[in-house]
Structure formats: structure tokens, C-alpha cells
């Protein structure tokens, strides 16, 4: 029997576009479009639909717990935007997609952000497609919700740095969620797609014409004006509100519409402060959907396609204040802002009465396992069993289970003689970089590095092991710069895209600078450097040296140190004496070349400097 075309493919937007082209005319385009979709793909889609139908029946018969009930039992649902009975039915019969958005208004996410994401990950584990959205465009305005003042306007460099850092944090979360799904044995369903997008992809190109025609013209002012934040800002704050801030919910709503149109997304999740934005988003989605004039592009608006959303409770600190960037009480997911050890410690300090709730919210453990852990914990609370489980699971999500284990060991945790199962990550010596062991991404270098050829910049920032390795990388096109794809032009603000680096002239590197001070480079998938350029004097004063920095070779430093040490004793070393000492070092196999007439820099010796200095000490004591 020929495979049937499932409903989801019939409504596939691109296909619909092709069909519209041939409507009433030749069917060649239609045939071409249909043929382009391989039968194996159709079979996969059909199998996915079949699975979903069987699942829907099992939910009806009570064989499988309804996903909405799972979210409820675990405490994820605070306020619902939509009719709960209808939502339940939609979730039962349809594999609808969901999304959570985060604005890169800081250079890291924090623990509070994990909460709406955990709800989304739980949906994904149950077979629903899930999108994490980075608000590259929306961050340029900043969500005004619950704020009495406007957010600080971010420079292109700040936005570029924030987007890059949060993009990689989100990618790492997804990698670890996949591992945790395996750990807990949840089904791997091909049709449950996962994605990470940046709303600058569509908001960056949205024309005022489209915005006005599809949305602004049809949207009423009343509901927008009656929002609490708007009323308070207009009536009580001296600063008032900018038009951009007023329009913020419309842009967030446009995201919802875009993801609905292109990715079958039908629900949005956020922290409880996002309720108003989610309600406005539903309104925007419906308004834009209805404003389609071409009948063949009009999307179905029956109840099965009703958009909805819900909020999760806010995670608060001990004083009840929302954990967040603005409140200044965030526990960060960036190891250089809050170390993994501190993050582990934060969960170790949660009081007994919060533990069950937190295990439900922050882990993928089945409820039965949580009850067992709680029983064990309450038998001997001082052992902090539940805290250790909680901290271990959160660290596995944020940094991977290998790192979680390291921190657990540091906290002297004994898992009743049984160590947790962890995924093996490549050792440091292997040189393989994964999302969980990627080195520090944000570094500083002096402005003068921009005068170096690109191979040396790669060496300076640690992406290459030497300048010649940098050269090799460039010829293989193995290094990238954040820029307009395929062009020698810097990044479009709000975007993160890459273009391969080449053996260009030093002055060409300047074209990729953001705000004249930020350069973003990458090697492989996860090895990123966000390079902030500081004035040369500031660099010099810091006493730091970068690999390959001119006039800072080992030999130079050894000579300088010899001279300084003797000068401290009130003695002056002659050239001949210095040469003799260097010769002695060479004979002692120290990594310097005594008879090098140019006193050239020996980059490889950098790491061995300490060893050399010890030998210098010995040589000095022998000669004195
Ligand atoms: N403490 C928290 N508890 C639950 N959800 C949170 C918390 N903090 C942020 N979120 C949610 O994470 C998502 C992204 O939040 P956002 O980017 O506004 O960060 P934020 O820390 O709340 O920022 P700010 O404090 O500057 O408003 C939103 O859905 C928000 O509600
Ligand atoms: N407004 C959200 C972030 C967000 C941005 C765009 C979206 O489409 C969704 C959510 C916040 O500040 O928390």
C-alpha cells in the first residue's frame, strides 16, 4: 500500500507555498515538491504520528499519565493562559511544540532561568518539540515588565558578548538534557525536535510595513494600556515609558507567531512575571494569523490550533525576592561568576522543607525515586542526602555529570557506597573539547594584538598551540570569526553567525571588531574566545603576558630576571656574565638558547618557564 501523506506534511508551510504556485495551473511544481520529500522521511513522519495516536489512546485509558498532570504534580504550573480542559485535549491529540525565551541582557543565565526551561525539557522528554529562544533583538529594548525604570541601553559589544555566552550555555544545556534523558530511560522520539534560535533571525528583518499591516493595524490599544507595568510607568514614574518598551510584548508576540507559523509551536512557558507577555503573545499570534489575506496561506484557526501558555512559579531567595539579574541576587550558570563548587554549595544549603519541591522542579527523577530519597533524607537529615542528589542533578544539567561528580567528591559525598552513573568525557590530554569542558571563553588582550597576523591572534588567544599551528588552522579553514557569513564584515548587532578566517592582512582583522573593542573567534564546535581589547598600557600594568607576545620570550624574561635579581643586590651583570650563565643553562638543558644572537622568543618554552627559573636560581648560587 502506498504510504499516506500525514496531516502534518499536508500543512507543511513550504509545500503549501509550492502548491499555491501551481494552483489552477500545471501540476509540475506540485509533483516536483512532493517528490522532493523522500519516502523514508514520509515513513518516519507517519510512524511518529502513529506513535502519537497510540499514546493519545493510552492517555485516555489512564495507561499513561497525562503530560499536563505530570507538570502539575511536579509544581511547574502557576498561571495558565488558555482554557485548561482544552489545553489538556490539545496536548493529548497533538504533538504541539513549545518555547521559552531568554533575553541576553546579562552575560550569563542564572538558576532562576532554569525553571521555565525545566518545564519545557519535561515536555520534550514526553515527545513535544521544544525551542529555546535567545532574544537577540528583544534584548536591545529590554523587557519592561515590573520595572519602574528603563533598562540600560546595551552596546553592540555587550550584546555580542552576552549572546555568544548565553548561546553556548543554552547549547550545553541541550547536550546535557539529552544525556539526562538517556540516564532516566525516557524515550528518544525522532519527532520530538529540539532547537535553539535567536529572534534576531526574523525580528532583525521585520519591516515596518509588515509589522503595521499584519499586526499594528489590527491590534487594539486598550489591553496594552491596561497592563500593570504600563499604568505604573505612565502614572507613577517620572521617566515614563519609551515606545519601544510599550511595544515589547508585541515583539515577543511576533516571536510566538513566527515559531507557530514555521515550527508548529503552540505554547509558551515563562516565569510568573511573563504572564502578561504570554497573554499578549497569544493575542498577537491570533491577530497576525487572521490578517493573512491570501486564502491559500491562511492557517487553520480551529480549537486544535489554539495557542496557549503557562507560567512557572518564581524561584525566590530566602527573603522572598525573585532571583534575577536586576535584583542582584543571582546564582549564575557561568563557572567564572559562580563556581560549580559554589553552585553545588547553594543547593546543599537548601532547607529540609524545600527539598522535595526543588527535587521535583530541578530534576528529571521520577516522583517515586524522589519520595524514596526524601524518606532516606528524613531518617538522618544531617547527612543531607536529598541536598546531594539535588545538587548533583543540577550540576549534571548545567556542567555535565563528570563535573557534577567532581564537585560531589569535593563535598565528600558518599552515595551509600554507590557512585552515580556518569557519562565519560574525553580526557584533557585528548585535546577534544566538548560543550562541558570548553575553556574559559571571555578573555582580555591588548589592543596591539590587532596588528598581528591572524595566525598569531589565534595563538595569542589560545585557540592555536603556536603561530604555525594558527597558520595551519587558517589554511584548513578551521577557525571562524563572528561576522556576516561569507563576508569580511562584522557581526550584525543581535546576531551570532560565523565566517571562516583566512590568511588575510593584519589590518583586515580590524573589520571584525565590534564597537572597536570586541573580537569573537571560534575553533571547532565549542571552543570560543570572546576577546575584549584593553589599552596596551592597561595590559602592561596588569603584568599579564599572552602566548607569542613580542619581547616577552623566555630568554628575554630570564635575562630580565637575572638583571633584576642582581640589581636588587646592588650588582650589575656584564653581557659576558649573562652569556656565561645562559650557556650554563643551556648545558643544563634549560629551554633557552644561550648563543641565539637575536635573543629571540622561544614560544614553546613558555610553559617551562617555571622550571627554567628554578635552574637560574641554582646557576646564580653556584656563580656567587
Ligand atoms: N527567579 C526566577 N524564577 C523563575 N523564573 C525566572 C526567574 N528569573 C527569571 N525567570 C524566567 O526566565 C525567563 C527569562 O528571564 P529574563 O531574561 O527576564 O531574566 P531575569 O533574570 O528575570 O531578568 P531581570 O531580573 O533583569 O528582569 C523568563 O521567563 C523569566 O520569567
Ligand atoms: N521577555 C522575556 C524574554 C523573552 C524574549 C522573547 C520571547 O519571544 C520570549 C521571552 C524576559 O524578559 O524574561
Amino acid at each position: 500500500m502506498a504510504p499516506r501523506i500525514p496531516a502534518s506534511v499536508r500543512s507543511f508551510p513550504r509545500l503549501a507555498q509550492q502548491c499555491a504556485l501551481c494552483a489552477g495551473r500545471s501540476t509540475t511544481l506540485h509533483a516536483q515538491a512532493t517528490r522532493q520529500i523522500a519516502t523514508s522521511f514520509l515513513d518516519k513522519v507517519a510512524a511518529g504520528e502513529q506513535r502519537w495516536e497510540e499514546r493519545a489512546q493510552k492517555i485516555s485509558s489512564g495507561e499513561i499519565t497525562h503530560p499536563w498532570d505530570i507538570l502539575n504534580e511536579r509544581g511547574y504550573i502557576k498561571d495558565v493562559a488558555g482554557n485548561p480542559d482544552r489545553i489538556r485535549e490539545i496536548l493529548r491529540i497533538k504533538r504541539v511544540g513549545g518555547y521559552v525565551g531568554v533575553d541576553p541582557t546579562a552575560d550569563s543565565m542564572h538558576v532562576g532561568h532554569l525553571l521555565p526551561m525545566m518545564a519545557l525539557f519535561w515536555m520534550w522528554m514526553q515527545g513535544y518539540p521544544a525551542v529555546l529562544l535567545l532574544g537577540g533583538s528583544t534584548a536591545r529594548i529590554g523587557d519592561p515588565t515590573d520595572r519602574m525604570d528603563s533598562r540600560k541601553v546595551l552596546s553592540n559589544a555587550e550584546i555580542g558578548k552576552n549572546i555568544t555566552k548565553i548561546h553556548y550555555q543554552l547549547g550545553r544545556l541541550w547536550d546535557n538534557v539529552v544525556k539526562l534523558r538517556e540516564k532516566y530511560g525516557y524515550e528518544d522520539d525522532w519527532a520530538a525536535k529540539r532547537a535553539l534560535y535567536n529572534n534576531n533571525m526574523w525580528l532583525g528583518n521585520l519591516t515596518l510595513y509588515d509589522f503595521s499591516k499584519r499586526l499594528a493595524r489590527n491590534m487594539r490599544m486598550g489591553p496594552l494600556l491596561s497592563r500593570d507595568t504600563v499604568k505604573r510607568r505612565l502614572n507613577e514614574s517620572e521617566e515614563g515609558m519609551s515606545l519601544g518598551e510599550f511595544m515589547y510584548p508585541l515583539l515577543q508576540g511576533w516571536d510566538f507567531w513566527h515559531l507557530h507559523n514555521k515550527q508548529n509551536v503552540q505554547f509558551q512557558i515563562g516565569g510568573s512575571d511573563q504572564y502578561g507577555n504570554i497573554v499578549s503573545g497569544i493575542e498577537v499570534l491570533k491577530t497576525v494569523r487572521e490578517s493573512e489575506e491570501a486564502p491559500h496561506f491562511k492557517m487553520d484557526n480551529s480549537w486544535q490550533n489554539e495557542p496557549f501558555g503557562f507560567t512557572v512559579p518564581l524561584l525566590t531567595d530566602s527573603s522572598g525576592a525573585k532571583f534575577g539579574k536586576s535584583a542582584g541576587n543571582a546564582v549564575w550558570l557561568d563557572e567564572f561568576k559562580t563556581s560549580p563548587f559554589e553552585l553545588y554549595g547553594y543547593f546543599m544549603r537548601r532547607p529540609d522543607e524545600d527539598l522535595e519541591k526543588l527535587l521535583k522542579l530541578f530534576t528529571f527523577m521520577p516522583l517515586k525515586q524522589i519520595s524514596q530519597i526524601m524518606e532516606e533524607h528524613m531518617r538522618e537529615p544531617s547527612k543531607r542526602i536529598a541536598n546531594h542528589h539535588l545538587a548533583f542533578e543540577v550540576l549534571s544539567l548545567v556542567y555535565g555529570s563528570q563535573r557534577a561528580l567532581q564537585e560531589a567528591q569535593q563535598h565528600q559525598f558518599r552515595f551509600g557506597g554507590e557512585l552515580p552513573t556518569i557519562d565519560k568525557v574525553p580526557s584533557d590530554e585528548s585535546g577534544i573539547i566538548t560543550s562541558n569542558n570548553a575553556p574559559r571563553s571571555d578573555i582580555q588582550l591588548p589592543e596591539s594584538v590587532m596588528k598581528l597576523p591572524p595566525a598569531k591572534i589565534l595563538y595569542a588567544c589560545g585557540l592555536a598551540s603556536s603561530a604555525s599551528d594558527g597558520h595551519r588552522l587558517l589554511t584548513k579553514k578551521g577557525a571562524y570569526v563572528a561576522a556576516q557569513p561569507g563576508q569580511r564584515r562584522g557581526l550584525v548587532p543581535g546576531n551570532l553567525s560565523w565566517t571562516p578566517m583566512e590568511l588575510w592582512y593584519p589590518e583586515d582583522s580590524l573589520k571584525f571588531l565590534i564597537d572597536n573593542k570586541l573580537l569573537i573567534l571560534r575553533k571547532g564546535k565549542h571552543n570560543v574566545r570572546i576577546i575584549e581589547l584593553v589599552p596596551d598600557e592597561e595590559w602592561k600594568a596588569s603584568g599579564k603576558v599572552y602566548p607569542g607576545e613580542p619581547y616577552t620570550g623566555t630568554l628575554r624574561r630570564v635575562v630580565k630576571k637575572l638583571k633584576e635579581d642582581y640589581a636588587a643586590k646592588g650588582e650589575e651583570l656584564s653581557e659576558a656574565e649573562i652569556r656565561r650563565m645562559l650557556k650554563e643553562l643551556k648545558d643544563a638543558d634549560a629551554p633557552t638558547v644561550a648563543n641565539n644572537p637575536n635573543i629571540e622568543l622561544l614560544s614553546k618554552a613558555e610553559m617551562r618557564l617555571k622550571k627554567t627559573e628554578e635552574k637560574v636560581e641554582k646557576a646564580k648560587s653556584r656563580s656567587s
Side-chain angles (χ1 to χ4, degrees):
M1 202 175 72
R4 69 195 171 97
I5 300 181
S8 59
V9 173
R10 279 187 210 285
S11 60
F12 199 65
R14 296 256 300 281
L15 187 59
Q17 240 165 348
Q18 309 247 29
C19 297
L21 286 176
C22 66
R25 290 189 280 128
S26 126
T27 53
T28 335
L29 271 176
H30 185 120
Q32 273 171 2
T34 318
R35 238 181 285 126
Q36 274 163 16
I37 300 181
T39 4
S40 60
F41 173 74
L42 290 181
D43 288 347
K44 266 170 132 181
V45 174
E49 294 215 335
Q50 176 77 29
R51 281 197 298 280
W52 205 256
E53 274 165 29
E54 286 165 13
R55 181 178 176 275
Q57 273 164 20
K58 286 188 184 156
I59 293 175
S60 296
S61 66
E63 228 177 297
I64 294 181
T65 316
H66 196 293
W68 193 249
D69 293 335
I70 294 186
L71 291 180
N72 241 327
E73 281 168 355
R74 300 194 74 99
Y76 286 119
I77 303 177
K78 183 167 185 300
D79 299 309
V80 181
N83 174 330
D85 291 336
R86 188 172 283 180
I87 294 174
R88 287 178 69 88
E89 191 51 6
I90 294 174
L91 288 173
R92 190 183 72 84
I93 60 167
K94 234 182 129 188
R95 202 191 276 272
V96 288
Y99 94 98
V100 171
V102 48
D103 274 346
T105 45
D107 63 2
S108 170
M109 294 192 292
H110 54 74
V111 172
H113 286 128
L114 287 179
L115 221 52
M117 287 178 196
M118 279 300 294
L120 185 75
F121 294 149
W122 262 102
M123 292 305 275
W124 179 74
M125 298 253 178
Q126 297 177 78
Y128 298 90
V131 174
L132 289 180
L133 180 72
L134 190 54
S137 268
T138 34
R140 301 200 76 89
I141 296 177
D143 190 346
T145 308
D146 296 338
R147 296 177 65 102
M148 283 308 275
D149 53 351
S150 302
R151 286 175 192 262
K152 172 179 159 270
V153 177
L154 297 174
S155 66
N156 289 338
E158 280 167 320
I159 285 266
K161 177 178 177 185
N162 297 353
I163 289 179
T164 311
K165 292 202 73 167
I166 296 186
H167 176 98
Y168 283 91
Q169 274 183 354
L170 291 171
R172 201 173 60 194
L173 281 183
W174 263 135
D175 287 352
N176 292 330
V177 167
V178 172
K179 293 268 161 48
L180 287 165
R181 181 188 62 193
E182 283 162 21
K183 169 173 166 175
Y184 286 104
Y186 299 121
E187 202 187 334
D188 173 5
D189 192 329
W190 166 85
K193 304 276 186 218
R194 66 196 155 87
L196 168 53
Y197 294 122
N198 178 344
N199 62 15
N200 204 56
M201 276 163 66
W202 51 90
L203 292 182
N205 303 321
L206 179 61
T207 63
L208 184 61
Y209 175 76
D210 272 344
F211 182 79
S212 311
K213 182 166 164 262
R214 300 292 302 268
L215 178 61
R217 179 172 79 165
N218 305 304
M219 191 87 187
R220 301 288 91 195
M221 293 285 286
L224 293 173
L225 283 168
S226 65
R227 286 164 56 94
D228 270 354
T229 304
V230 175
K231 280 196 287 195
R232 284 204 292 135
R233 284 285 280 280
L234 294 184
N235 301 330
E236 294 164 33
S237 127
E238 270 182 30
E239 198 184 332
M241 188 176 219
S242 70
L243 180 61
E245 287 177 301
F246 179 71
M247 285 185 8
Y248 184 97
L250 303 185
L251 295 180
Q252 181 164 337
W254 194 279
D255 291 342
F256 201 176
W257 148 249
H258 180 92
L259 293 171
H260 177 65
N261 186 22
K262 302 285 181 199
Q263 307 291 334
N264 267 328
V265 163
Q266 211 169 311
F267 64 94
Q268 183 180 173
I269 310 175
S272 71
D273 56 333
Q274 290 297 304
Y275 185 73
N277 285 350
I278 294 176
V279 171
S280 307
I282 292 174
E283 232 10 73
V284 171
L285 188 160
K286 287 183 176 172
T287 308
V288 182
R289 190 167 67 181
E290 286 313 303
S291 68
E292 178 55 67
E293 284 166 1
H296 39 265
F297 282 139
K298 220 168 175 78
M299 288 178 80
D300 185 356
N301 63 359
S302 52
W303 68 267
Q304 296 94 326
N305 295 309
E306 180 84 9
F308 60 94
F310 65 92
T311 62
V312 298
L314 278 185
L315 186 71
T316 53
D317 66 14
S318 47
S319 70
K322 173 193 164 189
F323 255 124
K325 299 169 264 206
S326 307
N329 55 1
V331 174
W332 300 100
L333 307 187
D334 178 320
E335 63 176 307
F336 301 103
K337 288 165 91 82
T338 298
S339 72
F341 186 78
E342 282 173 69
L343 183 63
Y344 198 99
Y346 167 76
F347 286 101
M348 285 306 292
R349 292 192 298 277
R350 294 308 91 206
D352 289 350
E353 58 276 20
D354 289 356
L355 289 173
E356 186 169 359
K357 184 183 86 181
L358 293 173
L359 280 167
K360 286 179 182 169
L361 290 173
F362 281 106
T363 77
F364 297 107
M365 278 179 191
L367 293 181
K368 214 164 143 200
Q369 193 180 346
I370 295 181
S371 314
Q372 284 163 358
I373 290 173
M374 284 312 298
E375 270 173 34
E376 211 184 326
H377 180 93
M378 293 322 280
R379 273 200 295 274
E380 219 173 332
S382 62
K383 275 187 156 178
R384 320 268 353 118
I385 304 267
N387 294 76
H388 279 295
H389 276 282
L390 175 62
F392 183 82
E393 291 298 311
V394 176
L395 261 88
S396 301
L397 174 67
V398 179
Y399 294 112
S401 55
Q402 182 118 344
R403 190 67 186 261
L405 183 62
Q406 272 170 26
E407 301 308 329
Q409 282 164 342
Q410 281 211 40
H411 280 263
Q412 310 241 296
F413 178 43
R414 299 226 310 275
F415 283 84
E418 216 185 294
L419 285 173
T421 37
I422 57 159
D423 48 290
K424 288 269 175 291
V425 302
S427 67
D428 286 349
E429 294 78 50
S430 71
I432 298 172
I433 294 188
T434 67
S435 56
N436 284 319
N437 71 2
R440 179 169 196 147
S441 61
D442 45 341
I443 59 166
Q444 286 189 334
L445 286 177
E447 282 165 347
S448 51
V449 281
M450 296 308 286
K451 294 187 193 136
L452 300 177
K456 286 196 171 173
I457 299 183
L458 286 173
Y459 178 37
C461 72
L463 286 180
S465 57
S466 64
S468 45
D469 182 37
H471 195 276
R472 253 193 317 276
L473 263 179
L474 293 174
T475 41
K476 280 195 318 197
K477 294 221 183 307
Y480 303 84
V481 57
Q484 289 272 68
Q487 290 180 31
R488 286 202 187 167
R489 271 180 51 205
L491 207 59
V492 171
N495 250 4
L496 179 60
S497 43
W498 302 94
T499 203
M501 286 175 78
E502 288 165 25
L503 287 161
W504 54 58
Y505 291 113
E507 59 270 25
D508 281 342
S509 302
L510 290 169
K511 293 181 185 154
F512 300 103
L513 273 187
I514 307 167
D515 284 352
N516 251 338
K517 65 169 187 201
L518 198 80
L519 183 71
I520 306 178
L521 306 180
R522 193 189 95 203
K523 179 177 95 171
K525 202 170 162 203
H526 307 285
N527 206 352
V528 174
R529 292 292 181 282
I530 303 166
I531 305 166
E532 188 197 335
L533 297 177
V534 295
D536 283 20
E537 308 77 63
E538 191 181 311
W539 177 259
K540 226 171 173 180
S542 74
K544 287 187 272 186
V545 186
Y546 64 79
E549 182 167 345
Y551 313 117
T552 58
T554 311
L555 197 59
R556 245 169 224 279
R557 276 186 275 160
V558 170
V559 173
K560 192 166 163 247
K561 190 153 190 336
L562 280 175
K563 285 185 178 168
E564 280 170 2
D565 284 0
Y566 276 82
K569 287 191 271 175
E571 294 170 40
E572 198 183 331
L573 283 176
S574 70
E575 272 312 301
E577 278 168 329
I578 292 174
R579 275 187 186 281
R580 186 186 52 74
M581 283 183 192
L582 291 174
K583 171 95 180 35
E584 205 172 315
L585 279 169
K586 189 190 173 202
D587 294 344
D589 201 21
T592 49
V593 179
N595 48 9
N596 178 347
N598 301 320
I599 310 193
E600 242 321 330
L601 153 157
L602 284 171
S603 51
K604 268 199 186 157
E606 171 111 80
M607 279 158 56
R608 284 182 266 162
L609 179 64
K610 209 162 166 265
K611 219 167 148 196
T612 311
E613 284 174 349
E614 285 164 14
K615 290 186 175 160
V616 169
E617 288 302 322
K618 272 194 204 146
K620 272 193 310 188
S621 55
R622 249 179 277 145
S623 69
S624 59

